[in-house]
Amino acid sequence: MIIVLKPGTEEIECAKIKNKMTELGCEVNEIRGKNHHVLGLVGDTSRIDANLIASNRNVEKVMHVQEPYKKANRYFHPEDTILNINGAKIGGGNFAIMAGPCSVETKDQIVHTAKAVKAAGAHFLRGGAFKPRTSPYSFQGLREEGLDLLKIAREETGLPIVTELMTIDTIDRFVEDVDVIQIGARNMQNFDLLKEVGKTDKPILLKRGMSATIEELLMAAEYIMSEGNENIVLCERGIRTFEKYTRNTLDLSAIPMIKKKSHLPVIVDPSHAAGLWWLVEPLAKAAMAVGADGLMIEVHHDPANAKCDGQQSIKPEKFQKLMGDLKNMANLFNIKI
Amino acid sequence: MIIVLKPGTEEIECAKIKNKMTELGCEVNEIRGKNHHVLGLVGDTSRIDANLIASNRNVEKVMHVQEPYKKANRYFHPEDTILNINGAKIGGGNFAIMAGPCSVETKDQIVHTAKAVKAAGAHFLRGGAFKPRTSPYSFQGLREEGLDLLKIAREETGLPIVTELMTIDTIDRFVEDVDVIQIGARNMQNFDLLKEVGKTDKPILLKRGMSATIEELLMAAEYIMSEGNENIVLCERGIRTFEKYTRNTLDLSAIPMIKKKSHLPVIVDPSHAAGLWWLVEPLAKAAMAVGADGLMIEVHHDPANAKCDGQQSIKPEKFQKLMGDLKNMANLFNIKI
Amino acid sequence: MIIVLKPGTEEIECAKIKNKMTELGCEVNEIRGKNHHVLGLVGDTSRIDANLIASNRNVEKVMHVQEPYKKANRYFHPEDTILNINGAKIGGGNFAIMAGPCSVETKDQIVHTAKAVKAAGAHFLRGGAFKPRTSPYSFQGLREEGLDLLKIAREETGLPIVTELMTIDTIDRFVEDVDVIQIGARNMQNFDLLKEVGKTDKPILLKRGMSATIEELLMAAEYIMSEGNENIVLCERGIRTFEKYTRNTLDLSAIPMIKKKSHLPVIVDPSHAAGLWWLVEPLAKAAMAVGADGLMIEVHHDPANAKCDGQQSIKPEKFQKLMGDLKNMANLFNIKI
Amino acid sequence: MIIVLKPGTEEIECAKIKNKMTELGCEVNEIRGKNHHVLGLVGDTSRIDANLIASNRNVEKVMHVQEPYKKANRYFHPEDTILNINGAKIGGGNFAIMAGPCSVETKDQIVHTAKAVKAAGAHFLRGGAFKPRTSPYSFQGLREEGLDLLKIAREETGLPIVTELMTIDTIDRFVEDVDVIQIGARNMQNFDLLKEVGKTDKPILLKRGMSATIEELLMAAEYIMSEGNENIVLCERGIRTFEKYTRNTLDLSAIPMIKKKSHLPVIVDPSHAAGLWWLVEPLAKAAMAVGADGLMIEVHHDPANAKCDGQQSIKPEKFQKLMGDLKNMANLFNIKI
């Protein structure tokens, strides 16, 4: 950590800061320039809150040398983390496909779709039971009943189920019934929720918030990991920019960047990123080409009558065609799918 | 609502869409251009989910004429909403100041600060008990004990207390002990939490998410109001942009825009927006000049040793000076402070 | 075009607006709802300036049905535009690679690099002679001399040359000496420059501004085309967002979106987008997978001593390896490279 | 400047970097931590191109201690720069108002408006002759004739005129006829244009690009100043964000930030920022309250029939009322207006 002092900071004030740093277990190196006076901290600074230093009125700025996350940091954990969920692997060269409808609507719908995506080669069934919707007047999901229907679809197909947890008071039910607990983009910094799922041993699918930096995503993972649960899959799903033709801007450069900074697997959700069904196919292929560890894709039999997000859902036939293309790409890239 | 059909949409498909709209209670008007075929819906479309229409593959785009929020909409409620909280008014020309430390640290600290901000003319005491922090290794607040200390400060000063609720399982305690429940920026779209506070009759301070549009902020208010609680104060606290010199970009044009679109009062938090103590004073004045209904300001006796956000906290003497300046401005602008 | 009138607009004001629209050659359809009064315009509205309508105080908003660009619009020009530049094709399934150093430094450097990228399979030589640099104290390019050196490299290799034009007063020299004139991101809305290159018959490489929407990029192309020059290649090179780990955020969803909206070819510049050499390879592959018509890649023999942007340049050996991978992908995707 | 080396960088590579820095005239200090090896440079680093260091593959990152601008930097020039243009002062407590139409349309229009804004107390007449328009089909300004009409309006009122220069080939005409040369947002990084106006002695009004950081704005000023012209007024006019209700997001925190970092005066253009006439008044007041040195406001007699940007223009009566309010505020704030 580098501390830049304001020009003209008195020696006595500088000494106070140095003492404080020494007490926190750091060794302090000084660099005195003509205009600037800089303190360089040596030691483990990952647990030092930079804001506590920046609050000193003699400090001009504080700059990180080390990343603020530790358990999620590849530097301290060089090998890829590989999750094995009921036999389906994610990470370390294993490409996982999660597919299914935006929301669970009926037993027929979810079972039918589960069979179709399984037949096409998907490894997980996704489906929303509790739905975060921008408007209180929109369909909010079947909730508890949705979980029941997902379980039936799992029984029928053997596909592990992925679904979103929105609030702490339903966590026990999720731990019991669900295979992968999804934390949605809007809850990426719902820190109490992160801590609670961190106390479970369930695999967590953590989506990047729509205005979260990569560093904040990794800090959210660190929250979960700091409570003991290291079974995390990250998910890039588009960030908010000024561009209006697409719902969000899919940040594919985040994929190789995350893999450089962290050992955790990371997948891509092209459906939510673009918000348009015909963009799913090219973005899914680009996600594999850029090095993602998997995809999460919305599939619906009758998008025009879907209860949510039909405009970004593809039909099973289109999904099947896409899976074929992805398998050919995986073959070329030497990826297990 | 305006529905633009894809060029070449067949009559039979168009008829299906028209029937669906009629079933939803809308009258359909058609405009047929050389290149485009447009359907205009007449009637109350505020409860129609535009996505359900956009999911039809023959629909090119759906455009809103009417805003998607209703209870929060000034169009249906032309008079300013005025909140009266233990005698302190917000809205309709009443300017309210909420001041206090980022987090409650000790009994002495919070009582001392409460007395200082009251003496300077603040109307509410703010102070965080449960703190949303980016890093799991940062101070997380005194939590339950923090609420106890806030109550002591209220007893000593009579100032109503404002503090952030982070999760549903502590809501009963907040309803009993707190005067204004704050929903933080990171929870602006924690819809279950919004619904729960919507079932109480407590005043709610709803902060704009750091990447939320004004429309989404008003939709979040609509969530609370749709459950029955209309005692809401909105708060602009800066949005995320590419600018790096400030922590966030305070969006002051949002204030007159929100007041045009909605009847709810809206205040400004210059401390979190800028992230730098010396920007608080000019931004606070600008907030009053632009038409805000109040301010939320972080005040700390010893910012250099604050447990959080010291770099954006001002000292009581500076706060007192600012209050004097704001009173002079309020006098000029004919605002009650 | 849809015009939404303010609630309560008087009939006489409405009639004035309708007359104005009729004079502009549009047929006006009215939709009268309970709360809103809407005018729908039928006819060619692409040349109507929406701002001229929005300026009427009785107009609440103006919404486009038709896109504001015409010559660049695929709707009026369904087939892909294919450029053929000295035998090198771009668009319509032809994938073109432009490679070379950020800036021309010496004769040896540019000739050496030109030979290396040609050997690896590049179709164009890129190299900056006039360099737009953020700091006036940074290397500004060899300017006129740089053009001379590029010509030598072209003679030695036969590769057509692509280089950036920054100002109108050097345009004659560019028309004479250069094969593709690049308009840089910072000049995407330098409208006088766009018009001038529109009067030439040179192929233009038009880069997206770092905060330009796709619509604005297509309007910039429209500027050039409106003067007669339709030989345009668009280039996505990253947009500005709040993310700090990468220099810009490469917007790959823009590629299929542009190809849907326009017939013009579009390539990707992964070097400038990411600003980091090790991100070039995965992003280049993703660009091909997403459907781009080509790539622009910075290649330098000795990046550590490059005069600009060495951190985003790859070495010739790495470029050769990448070309091999791209050829394999092209084979799978049935793309001509 | 702080150079962070990659973990495991060999001594010989480190020595090479140290030598290079020493050759550039810097003294090198080393800090060796357990995980990181850091080089701190002492000396004048403002002219060192950080990219040249970052391009070394052993360098993990380069961080600035000193700002990259020098002539624009308040650190080296602590007193406020005050411009005196034909007796109208800007900066150092002098608040200047520039008002007039978006574009010059007719002699009557510009003379009439000039008289009206002068009567209300404006210090400068603004009016566009050369107009940068998003669409080639929109009104492009009267160009040369517009300059003639502005001169007539100056003769009639004595108001100095401010108008935008778009391209180098008209610069002589501007130097002869115009009092303040405006560089528009779209040309903020048109570096050749910046250098050319830097060679004149005309006052320059430099607008912030719509996606420019404050640092980039100051670097653009540095470009002009590096050629000798230090008569610069900066202008904040809104930045591009995801918010859709306003055209841009006015960044008022940029004002005190710029005044902290630089000695140059800075004004605000609320008309372009918001894009809506009824937002001009509150934003203008907020701009004064936040500490701006002036305002640029669009005024038109008949906005509904303006040839451009009528929706953001206010009428002379409204401008007169605003001026009265601003004078009262200036009186309270002890500002000369």
Side-chain angles (χ1 to χ4, degrees):
Chain A
M1 203 172 271
I2 303 289
I3 303 173
V4 182
L5 298 180
K6 291 229 172 79
T9 297
E10 291 177 34
E11 283 306 315
I12 189 166
E13 295 300 329
C14 174
K16 280 185 204 166
I17 296 170
K18 286 195 284 185
N19 284 344
K20 194 170 172 180
M21 294 304 107
T22 309
E23 279 166 23
L24 288 168
C26 296
E27 188 189 321
V28 181
N29 287 257
E30 287 186 72
I31 303 173
R32 288 170 186 269
K34 197 179 136 203
N35 301 320
H36 288 90
H37 185 169
V38 173
L39 306 179
L41 306 190
V42 174
D44 178 9
T45 58
S46 68
R47 282 161 188 265
I48 295 182
D49 185 348
N51 283 348
L52 296 185
I53 303 168
S55 63
N56 190 300
R57 299 305 199 235
N58 296 296
V59 170
E60 190 163 304
K61 56 181 166 181
V62 179
M63 301 185 290
H64 284 282
V65 171
Q66 201 174 331
E67 310 298 354
Y69 39 88
K70 199 156 182 181
K71 288 175 183 289
N73 198 331
R74 188 180 281 275
Y75 184 74
F76 301 107
H77 184 311
E79 319 76 37
D80 282 352
T81 284
I82 302 174
L83 271 72
N84 187 329
I85 302 162
N86 305 0
K89 287 186 185 174
I90 311 178
N94 299 282
F95 197 87
I97 310 271
M98 303 174 176
C102 175
S103 65
V104 181
E105 297 171 11
T106 63
K107 183 184 153 189
D108 274 4
Q109 174 240 22
I110 192 67
V111 171
H112 187 168
T113 308
K115 287 180 177 169
V117 300
K118 185 181 184 186
H123 311 94
F124 293 84
L125 174 66
R126 66 144 287 153
F130 295 80
K131 296 296 307 172
R133 304 302 303 279
T134 308
S135 167
Y137 311 123
S138 298
F139 175 60
Q140 308 276 317
L142 294 183
R143 305 180 73 89
E144 307 274 343
E145 188 194 339
L147 295 182
D148 293 337
L149 299 181
L150 282 168
K151 285 169 68 180
I152 295 172
R154 177 174 56 193
E155 274 164 40
E156 298 269 339
T157 59
L159 289 179
I161 55 181
V162 187
T163 195
E164 181 171 350
L165 172 70
M166 284 175 63
T167 180
I168 288 175
D169 56 9
T170 49
I171 199 166
D172 291 341
R173 177 79 202 271
F174 274 68
V175 169
E176 190 162 321
D177 288 344
V178 159
D179 301 294
V180 180
I181 297 178
Q182 178 179 322
I183 301 294
R186 289 172 180 78
N187 279 318
M188 192 204 85
Q189 293 195 319
N190 183 337
F191 299 118
D192 281 326
L193 191 60
L194 297 179
K195 283 184 203 167
E196 288 305 313
V197 298
K199 290 172 190 160
T200 75
D201 59 359
K202 279 282 160 184
I204 307 299
L205 178 70
L206 177 64
K207 296 189 108 176
R208 182 181 183 184
M210 68 186 77
S211 76
T213 61
I214 294 171
E215 187 164 299
E216 287 170 336
L217 173 62
L218 293 175
M219 287 307 287
E222 188 84 7
Y223 252 97
I224 299 171
M225 296 171 97
S226 72
E227 297 288 338
N229 186 352
E230 307 204 347
N231 298 313
I232 300 174
V233 181
L234 304 171
C235 181
E236 159 65 31
R237 45 75 74 207
I239 58 172
R240 189 157 271 190
T241 70
F242 53 80
E243 176 54 49
K244 297 175 186 180
Y245 278 1
T246 43
R247 192 154 99 169
N248 295 284
T249 297
L250 183 63
D251 179 9
L252 283 178
S253 42
I255 304 302
M257 181 57 80
I258 288 171
K259 295 195 76 65
K260 181 107 175 176
K261 299 278 185 183
S262 178
H263 50 91
L264 296 171
V266 54
I267 68 169
V268 168
D269 175 350
S271 309
H272 280 86
L276 292 164
W277 66 269
W278 53 272
L279 284 171
V280 170
E281 181 201 315
L283 293 177
K285 292 177 180 172
M288 179 180 270
V290 93
D293 296 303
L295 287 162
M296 179 169 233
I297 293 178
E298 294 200 352
V299 178
H300 198 282
H301 273 80
D302 182 11
N305 292 303
K307 288 203 173 169
C308 80
D309 283 347
Q311 78 273 29
Q312 71 196 31
S313 298
I314 58 174
K315 293 183 189 174
E317 312 83 73
K318 197 153 190 77
F319 176 69
Q320 191 175 11
K321 165 80 170 56
L322 173 60
M323 285 298 297
D325 292 350
L326 290 172
K327 282 172 190 166
N328 289 335
M329 281 183 72
N331 195 34
L332 178 65
F333 289 143
N334 208 16
I335 291 168
K336 280 160 273 177
I337 187 171
Chain B
M1 203 172 267
I2 303 289
I3 302 173
V4 182
L5 298 180
K6 291 227 172 82
T9 296
E10 290 178 36
E11 284 305 315
I12 188 167
E13 294 300 329
C14 175
K16 279 185 202 164
I17 296 171
K18 285 194 284 184
N19 285 344
K20 193 171 173 181
M21 293 305 106
T22 308
E23 279 165 23
L24 288 168
C26 296
E27 189 189 321
V28 182
N29 287 255
E30 288 187 71
I31 304 173
R32 287 170 184 268
K34 195 179 138 204
N35 301 321
H36 288 89
H37 185 170
V38 172
L39 306 179
L41 306 190
V42 174
D44 178 9
T45 57
S46 67
R47 283 160 188 267
I48 296 182
D49 185 348
N51 284 348
L52 296 187
I53 303 168
S55 63
N56 190 301
R57 300 302 200 235
N58 295 296
V59 170
E60 190 164 303
K61 57 180 165 181
V62 179
M63 302 185 289
H64 284 282
V65 171
Q66 202 175 330
E67 311 298 355
Y69 39 89
K70 199 157 181 180
K71 289 174 181 289
N73 198 330
R74 188 180 280 276
Y75 185 75
F76 301 108
H77 183 312
E79 319 76 38
D80 282 352
T81 284
I82 302 174
L83 271 72
N84 185 328
I85 302 161
N86 305 359
K89 287 185 186 174
I90 311 179
N94 300 282
F95 196 87
I97 311 272
M98 302 174 177
C102 175
S103 67
V104 181
E105 297 170 10
T106 64
K107 182 183 153 190
D108 274 4
Q109 174 241 21
I110 193 67
V111 171
H112 188 167
T113 307
K115 287 180 177 170
V117 301
K118 186 181 183 185
H123 310 92
F124 293 83
L125 174 66
R126 66 144 287 152
F130 296 80
K131 297 297 307 171
R133 303 302 302 278
T134 308
S135 168
Y137 311 123
S138 298
F139 175 60
Q140 308 276 316
L142 294 183
R143 303 179 75 87
E144 306 274 342
E145 189 194 338
L147 294 181
D148 294 336
L149 298 181
L150 282 168
K151 284 168 69 180
I152 294 171
R154 177 173 59 193
E155 275 164 40
E156 298 269 339
T157 60
L159 289 179
I161 54 182
V162 187
T163 195
E164 181 171 350
L165 171 71
M166 283 175 64
T167 179
I168 287 175
D169 56 9
T170 49
I171 198 166
D172 291 341
R173 178 80 201 271
F174 273 68
V175 168
E176 190 165 319
D177 288 344
V178 160
D179 300 293
V180 180
I181 296 178
Q182 177 179 323
I183 301 295
R186 288 172 182 79
N187 278 318
M188 192 203 83
Q189 292 194 319
N190 183 337
F191 300 118
D192 281 325
L193 191 60
L194 297 179
K195 283 183 203 168
E196 288 306 311
V197 298
K199 290 172 189 159
T200 75
D201 59 359
K202 280 281 159 184
I204 308 299
L205 178 70
L206 177 64
K207 296 190 108 176
R208 183 181 182 184
M210 69 186 76
S211 77
T213 61
I214 294 170
E215 187 164 299
E216 286 170 337
L217 172 61
L218 293 175
M219 287 307 287
E222 188 84 6
Y223 252 98
I224 299 171
M225 296 171 97
S226 73
E227 297 288 339
N229 186 353
E230 306 204 349
N231 299 312
I232 300 173
V233 181
L234 305 171
C235 181
E236 160 63 30
R237 43 76 74 208
I239 58 172
R240 189 157 270 190
T241 69
F242 53 78
E243 176 54 48
K244 297 176 186 179
Y245 278 1
T246 44
R247 192 154 97 168
N248 294 285
T249 297
L250 183 63
D251 179 8
L252 282 178
S253 42
I255 304 303
M257 183 56 81
I258 287 172
K259 296 194 76 66
K260 182 106 174 178
K261 299 277 186 185
S262 178
H263 51 90
L264 296 172
V266 55
I267 68 170
V268 168
D269 175 349
S271 310
H272 280 86
L276 293 164
W277 66 269
W278 54 270
L279 283 171
V280 170
E281 182 201 314
L283 293 178
K285 291 176 180 173
M288 179 180 269
V290 93
D293 295 305
L295 286 163
M296 180 169 231
I297 293 178
E298 294 200 351
V299 178
H300 199 282
H301 273 79
D302 182 11
N305 291 302
K307 288 202 172 169
C308 81
D309 283 347
Q311 79 273 30
Q312 71 196 32
S313 298
I314 57 174
K315 293 184 188 173
E317 310 85 71
K318 197 151 192 79
F319 177 68
Q320 191 175 10
K321 164 81 171 54
L322 173 59
M323 285 298 297
D325 292 350
L326 290 172
K327 283 173 189 166
N328 289 335
M329 281 183 72
N331 196 35
L332 177 66
F333 289 143
N334 207 17
I335 292 168
K336 279 161 273 178
I337 187 170
Chain C
M1 203 172 269
I2 302 290
I3 303 173
V4 181
L5 298 180
K6 291 227 173 81
T9 297
E10 291 178 34
E11 283 306 314
I12 187 166
E13 295 299 329
C14 175
K16 282 184 202 165
I17 296 170
K18 286 194 285 184
N19 284 343
K20 193 172 173 180
M21 294 304 105
T22 308
E23 279 165 23
L24 288 168
C26 296
E27 188 190 320
V28 181
N29 288 255
E30 288 187 71
I31 304 172
R32 289 172 184 267
K34 196 180 139 204
N35 301 321
H36 287 89
H37 185 170
V38 173
L39 306 179
L41 306 190
V42 173
D44 178 9
T45 57
S46 69
R47 282 160 188 268
I48 295 182
D49 185 348
N51 283 349
L52 297 186
I53 303 168
S55 63
N56 189 300
R57 300 303 200 235
N58 295 296
V59 170
E60 190 163 304
K61 57 181 167 182
V62 179
M63 301 185 289
H64 284 282
V65 171
Q66 202 174 329
E67 310 298 355
Y69 39 88
K70 198 156 181 180
K71 287 175 183 289
N73 198 331
R74 189 180 280 276
Y75 185 74
F76 301 107
H77 184 311
E79 321 74 39
D80 282 352
T81 284
I82 302 175
L83 271 71
N84 186 328
I85 303 161
N86 306 358
K89 288 185 186 174
I90 311 178
N94 299 283
F95 197 86
I97 310 272
M98 304 174 176
C102 175
S103 66
V104 181
E105 296 170 12
T106 65
K107 184 183 150 188
D108 274 4
Q109 174 240 20
I110 192 68
V111 171
H112 188 169
T113 308
K115 288 181 177 169
V117 300
K118 187 182 181 183
H123 311 92
F124 294 83
L125 174 65
R126 65 145 288 153
F130 296 80
K131 296 297 305 172
R133 303 301 303 278
T134 308
S135 168
Y137 310 123
S138 298
F139 175 61
Q140 308 276 316
L142 294 183
R143 304 178 75 88
E144 307 274 343
E145 189 195 340
L147 295 181
D148 293 337
L149 299 182
L150 282 168
K151 283 167 69 180
I152 295 171
R154 178 174 56 193
E155 275 163 41
E156 298 267 340
T157 59
L159 289 179
I161 54 181
V162 187
T163 194
E164 181 171 349
L165 171 71
M166 281 174 65
T167 179
I168 287 175
D169 55 9
T170 48
I171 198 165
D172 291 341
R173 177 80 202 272
F174 273 69
V175 168
E176 193 165 317
D177 289 344
V178 160
D179 301 293
V180 180
I181 297 178
Q182 178 179 323
I183 301 294
R186 288 172 181 78
N187 279 318
M188 192 202 84
Q189 292 194 319
N190 184 338
F191 299 117
D192 281 325
L193 191 60
L194 297 179
K195 284 182 202 167
E196 288 307 312
V197 299
K199 290 171 190 159
T200 76
D201 59 358
K202 280 281 160 186
I204 307 299
L205 179 70
L206 177 64
K207 296 189 107 176
R208 182 181 183 184
M210 68 187 75
S211 77
T213 60
I214 294 170
E215 187 164 299
E216 286 170 336
L217 173 62
L218 293 174
M219 288 307 286
E222 189 83 7
Y223 252 97
I224 299 171
M225 297 171 96
S226 71
E227 297 289 337
N229 187 352
E230 306 205 349
N231 299 311
I232 299 172
V233 181
L234 305 170
C235 181
E236 160 64 30
R237 42 78 72 209
I239 58 172
R240 189 156 271 190
T241 70
F242 53 79
E243 176 53 48
K244 298 176 185 179
Y245 278 1
T246 45
R247 192 155 99 169
N248 294 284
T249 297
L250 183 63
D251 179 9
L252 283 178
S253 42
I255 304 302
M257 183 56 81
I258 287 172
K259 295 193 79 62
K260 181 108 176 177
K261 299 277 184 184
S262 179
H263 51 90
L264 296 171
V266 54
I267 69 169
V268 168
D269 175 349
S271 309
H272 280 87
L276 293 164
W277 66 269
W278 53 271
L279 283 170
V280 170
E281 181 201 315
L283 292 177
K285 291 177 181 173
M288 179 179 270
V290 92
D293 296 304
L295 287 163
M296 179 169 233
I297 293 178
E298 295 201 350
V299 178
H300 199 283
H301 272 80
D302 182 11
N305 292 303
K307 289 202 172 170
C308 80
D309 284 347
Q311 79 274 28
Q312 71 196 32
S313 298
I314 58 174
K315 294 183 187 173
E317 312 84 73
K318 196 151 192 80
F319 177 69
Q320 193 175 10
K321 164 82 170 53
L322 172 60
M323 285 299 296
D325 292 351
L326 290 172
K327 283 172 190 165
N328 289 334
M329 280 182 73
N331 195 36
L332 178 65
F333 290 143
N334 207 15
I335 292 169
K336 279 161 274 177
I337 187 170
Chain D
M1 203 172 269
I2 303 289
I3 302 173
V4 182
L5 298 179
K6 292 228 172 80
T9 297
E10 290 177 35
E11 282 307 315
I12 189 166
E13 295 300 329
C14 175
K16 280 185 202 165
I17 296 171
K18 286 194 284 184
N19 284 344
K20 193 171 172 180
M21 294 304 106
T22 308
E23 279 165 24
L24 288 168
C26 297
E27 188 189 321
V28 181
N29 286 257
E30 288 187 71
I31 304 172
R32 287 170 185 268
K34 196 179 140 204
N35 301 321
H36 288 88
H37 185 169
V38 172
L39 305 180
L41 305 190
V42 173
D44 179 8
T45 57
S46 68
R47 283 160 188 268
I48 296 182
D49 185 347
N51 284 349
L52 296 186
I53 303 167
S55 62
N56 189 301
R57 299 303 200 236
N58 296 296
V59 170
E60 189 163 305
K61 57 181 166 181
V62 179
M63 300 185 289
H64 285 281
V65 172
Q66 202 175 329
E67 310 297 354
Y69 40 88
K70 198 156 181 181
K71 287 174 182 289
N73 198 331
R74 188 180 280 276
Y75 185 74
F76 300 107
H77 184 311
E79 319 76 37
D80 282 352
T81 284
I82 302 176
L83 271 71
N84 185 330
I85 302 161
N86 305 0
K89 288 186 185 173
I90 311 179
N94 299 282
F95 197 87
I97 310 272
M98 303 174 177
C102 176
S103 67
V104 181
E105 297 170 13
T106 65
K107 184 183 151 188
D108 274 5
Q109 175 240 21
I110 192 68
V111 172
H112 188 167
T113 308
K115 287 180 177 169
V117 300
K118 187 184 182 181
H123 311 94
F124 293 84
L125 175 65
R126 66 145 286 153
F130 296 81
K131 297 297 307 171
R133 304 302 302 279
T134 308
S135 168
Y137 311 123
S138 299
F139 175 60
Q140 308 276 314
L142 294 182
R143 304 181 72 89
E144 306 274 342
E145 189 194 339
L147 294 182
D148 294 336
L149 298 181
L150 282 168
K151 283 168 68 180
I152 295 172
R154 177 173 58 193
E155 274 164 40
E156 299 267 340
T157 59
L159 290 179
I161 53 181
V162 188
T163 195
E164 181 170 350
L165 172 71
M166 282 175 64
T167 179
I168 287 175
D169 55 9
T170 48
I171 198 165
D172 292 341
R173 177 80 202 270
F174 273 69
V175 168
E176 191 165 319
D177 288 344
V178 160
D179 301 292
V180 181
I181 296 177
Q182 178 180 321
I183 301 294
R186 288 172 181 78
N187 278 319
M188 193 202 84
Q189 293 194 320
N190 184 336
F191 299 117
D192 281 325
L193 191 60
L194 298 179
K195 283 183 202 167
E196 287 306 312
V197 298
K199 289 172 190 159
T200 75
D201 59 359
K202 279 282 159 183
I204 307 299
L205 178 70
L206 177 65
K207 295 189 107 177
R208 182 181 183 184
M210 68 186 75
S211 76
T213 61
I214 294 170
E215 188 164 298
E216 286 170 336
L217 173 61
L218 293 174
M219 288 307 287
E222 189 84 5
Y223 252 97
I224 299 171
M225 296 171 96
S226 71
E227 296 289 338
N229 186 353
E230 306 205 348
N231 298 312
I232 299 173
V233 182
L234 305 170
C235 181
E236 159 64 30
R237 45 74 74 206
I239 58 172
R240 190 156 271 189
T241 69
F242 53 79
E243 176 54 49
K244 297 175 186 179
Y245 278 1
T246 45
R247 192 155 98 169
N248 294 285
T249 297
L250 183 63
D251 179 9
L252 283 178
S253 42
I255 304 302
M257 183 56 81
I258 287 172
K259 295 192 78 64
K260 181 109 176 175
K261 299 278 184 184
S262 178
H263 51 90
L264 296 171
V266 55
I267 69 170
V268 167
D269 175 349
S271 309
H272 280 87
L276 293 164
W277 66 270
W278 54 271
L279 283 171
V280 171
E281 182 202 314
L283 292 177
K285 292 178 180 173
M288 179 179 271
V290 92
D293 295 304
L295 287 163
M296 179 170 234
I297 293 178
E298 295 201 352
V299 178
H300 199 283
H301 273 79
D302 183 11
N305 292 303
K307 288 202 172 168
C308 80
D309 283 348
Q311 78 273 28
Q312 72 197 31
S313 299
I314 57 174
K315 293 183 188 174
E317 311 84 73
K318 198 156 190 76
F319 177 68
Q320 192 175 7
K321 165 80 172 54
L322 173 59
M323 284 299 296
D325 292 351
L326 290 172
K327 283 173 190 166
N328 289 334
M329 280 183 73
N331 195 36
L332 177 66
F333 289 144
N334 208 16
I335 292 170
K336 279 161 274 178
I337 187 169

